[in-house]
Amino acid sequence: MRSSLIALALAANLLVPQTVPLDLEEATIDQLQAGMAAGRYTARQIVEGYLARIEAIDRNGPRLRSIIETNPDALEIADALDRERREKGSRGPLHGIPIVLKDNIDTADRMMTTAGSLALVGPAPDRDAFLVERLRAAGAVILAKANMSEWANFRSTKSTSGWSARGGLVRNPYALDRNACGSSSGTGTAISANLAVAGIGTETDGSIVCPSAVTGLVGVKPTRGLVSRSGIVPVAHSQDTAGPMTRTVRDAAILLGATTGVDPRDKDTLASRGKSHEDYTALLTADGLKGARIGVARKRFFGYSPITDRLIDAAIGDLKTAGAVIVDPADVPNAGAYDESELEVLLYEFKADLNAYLMTRKEVPVRTLTDLIAFNDREREREMPYFGQELFEMAEKKGPLTDKAYLNALARNRRLSGRLGIDAVMIKHKLDAIVMPTLNPAWTTDLVNGDHFLGGSSTPAAVAGYPSVTVPAGFARGLPVGMSFVGRAWSEPTLLKLAYAYEQATKHRQAPKYLPTADLSAGAKP
């Protein structure tokens, strides 16, 4: 009789399965899903665990300052998803999974969307960004907003990546005096420090792959139009995109599939019809490099950092050992030929795109770029204590998007970076992907002089609107170094397959130790 009553109680969800201690260190989406499916723990417990880590590591302890705001409704959302799992089953791989969003992605909830600026502090947007709608539909818990380089690092020519007036300075979890890179610095640090399972960053040129590389993450910069930009504070529509930042390639593939789709509010997503996928995990196999033709883009992308070069040369050897056919060199034509004209395009589009976005935020005090410049001048002590707004002022002087100077620069840049750049070298050598260092190891943060990059490889794919995936490739003095896989438009399935096989063959990812400074005795470990 007693056993029958227990069975009835379980069937009626009157008894909760016995739970076990929850270890979130380096946890993957699959591991957390398996634990929830088996009843070992709930979405609520997972959310509680990550909120506790945010309090202990981000706001106290090493004080990473990667999270700008947590979702006051996160536990309630998790409870609802737990009930739904018991009553109806799981929606899929993201059911109950906590996700962090960069603070330039609109959420129509009790969190703000400010791009790190005091000018946008106030009521939440009226509507979720399209990608947030997709994540909520998949069952994700929007856990928090991540700090970022204010205005996505498009305010000053002398900025320090990772700093915002609202959130302060993001710190790199591997060495706290090192930079977390921009502008998705907060997302990178938060996910690397295991403050959530996965996160979403945004990129115009380098702002997903750079912070991912220096914080030991996988970062996916998708093809322009694969992921909608509606509801995201813009820099420039010809290059902007959002994408996953995760600790594993598989987690990135899961997150990417959940955010794709045609959005009537973003006309560029129309091109993704028939080219996007809801499941990018199907091709992920450990032998995915066998027979793949991979080119090495040496000219312009090697030579600025000897320790980085040694790590990437070792990584190329690993690719060959895993069965890839290496074409070395396979240089990208015209790389560097459009650096100045890229800025010209961004300045034009920033003014037009930001003015359009601000018109959707009816409760904030700024309506135009002109208003924003004036706001920063009035709030100079809080908004500009370390660097100014030169890029804002340059953009304000630009005319409409019908100007011949803008149209010519845009057409030239796309031609040189795409058809006569990445496409040309990949067709010539019949390549599946191109590899190169993502950038140098993280530099020491310098609020006096600003950032000091040595070099990077994000620009060709960014300007062309093509995909790139950065993956951990080793450590230099204890600092992560990433390698980028770059391909032609809509080649995300191939790039993820290659990146996954490389990741599984090398397993370079290591959790950070929050050292006060880099361990200079560590050397370079490929």
Side-chain angles (χ1 to χ4, degrees), residues 5-26:
L5 289 173
I6 293 174
L8 288 171
L10 283 170
N13 297 310
L14 296 177
L15 290 183
V16 178
Q18 182 64 44
T19 58
V20 298
L22 178 57
D23 182 8
L24 295 174
E25 189 77 11
E26 299 294 283

Side-chain angles (χ1 to χ4, degrees), residues 101-114:
L101 303 177
K102 189 176 177 179
D103 183 43
N104 61 349
I105 300 173
D106 285 351
T107 55
D109 51 22
R110 291 200 287 162
M111 291 188 291
M112 293 184 279
T113 301
T114 69

Side-chain angles (χ1 to χ4, degrees), residues 33 40 69 106 139 225 228 239 245 288 304 315 362 412 439 449 484 512:
Q33 281 297 345
R40 292 195 298 273
E69 184 176 8
D106 285 351
S228 170
Q239 294 182 204
M245 298 172 68
Y304 55 80
K362 296 171 183 167
R412 176 181 182 275
L439 79 159
N449 299 303
S484 287

Side-chain angles (χ1 to χ4, degrees), residues 190-263:
I191 303 310
S192 186
N194 289 276
L195 306 184
V197 189
I200 298 288
T202 67
E203 175 162 329
T204 304
D205 187 343
S207 287
I208 288 174
V209 297
C210 175
S212 295
V214 302
T215 60
L217 297 181
V218 176
V220 180
K221 199 288 289 186
T223 302
R224 183 184 63 249
L226 184 65
V227 177
S228 170
R229 288 83 49 88
S230 68
I232 299 177
V233 182
V235 173
H237 62 265
S238 66
Q239 294 182 204
D240 285 353
T241 187
M245 298 172 68
T246 61
R247 293 184 294 272
T248 70
V249 175
R250 182 172 173 83
D251 281 357
I254 291 170
L255 196 54
L256 181 62
T259 55
T260 62
V262 174
D263 175 13

Side-chain angles (χ1 to χ4, degrees), residues 163-208:
W163 183 89
S164 73
R166 185 174 172 226
L169 179 67
V170 179
R171 306 170 85 181
N172 190 308
Y174 289 89
L176 300 177
D177 62 348
R178 296 273 163 171
N179 200 268
C181 200
S183 63
S184 305
S185 48
T187 309
T189 288
I191 303 310
S192 186
N194 289 276
L195 306 184
V197 189
I200 298 288
T202 67
E203 175 162 329
T204 304
D205 187 343
S207 287
I208 288 174

Side-chain angles (χ1 to χ4, degrees), residues 203-206 221-224 229 236-241 268 332-346 349 408-419 421-422 457-468 486-487:
E203 175 162 329
T204 304
D205 187 343
K221 199 288 289 186
T223 302
R224 183 184 63 249
R229 288 83 49 88
H237 62 265
S238 66
Q239 294 182 204
D240 285 353
T241 187
D268 281 355
V332 179
N334 301 306
Y338 36 82
D339 289 358
E340 291 185 9
S341 53
E342 178 192 14
L343 178 58
E344 180 81 352
V345 169
L346 300 187
E349 293 187 0
N408 288 345
L410 179 63
R412 176 181 182 275
N413 292 355
R414 285 182 170 174
R415 183 175 68 253
L416 292 179
S417 62
R419 180 168 59 85
I422 294 171
S457 60
S458 62
T459 298
V463 175
Y466 289 1
S468 62
V486 173

Side-chain angles (χ1 to χ4, degrees), residues 274-395:
K275 301 181 181 72
S276 67
H277 303 270
E278 292 186 356
D279 181 8
Y280 283 91
T281 67
L283 294 177
L284 302 184
T285 60
D287 63 353
L289 282 162
K290 288 184 179 178
R293 292 182 59 83
I294 298 178
V296 181
R298 289 196 176 271
K299 186 178 180 181
R300 192 174 177 83
F301 304 124
F302 283 72
Y304 55 80
S305 169
I307 198 168
T308 300
D309 288 354
R310 290 199 298 273
L311 287 167
I312 301 306
D313 280 335
I316 293 165
D318 291 333
L319 294 174
K320 188 173 182 179
T321 299
V325 177
I326 304 299
V327 180
D328 187 359
D331 295 324
V332 179
N334 301 306
Y338 36 82
D339 289 358
E340 291 185 9
S341 53
E342 178 192 14
L343 178 58
E344 180 81 352
V345 169
L346 300 187
L347 290 169
Y348 268 99
E349 293 187 0
F350 180 74
K351 179 181 179 180
D353 295 351
L354 184 64
N355 285 345
Y357 172 82
L358 290 174
M359 292 301 293
T360 71
R361 299 292 302 276
K362 296 171 183 167
E363 302 298 326
V364 298
V366 292
R367 315 297 299 147
T368 65
L369 177 57
T370 304
D371 294 342
L372 184 53
I373 292 171
F375 177 92
N376 288 340
D377 282 332
R378 290 194 305 273
E379 298 288 343
R380 179 171 294 273
E381 289 189 6
R382 294 196 296 166
E383 276 288 351
M384 298 191 290
Y386 305 115
F387 50 86
Q389 54 180 343
E390 300 90 353
L391 292 175
F392 278 11
E393 292 161 351
M394 293 164 65

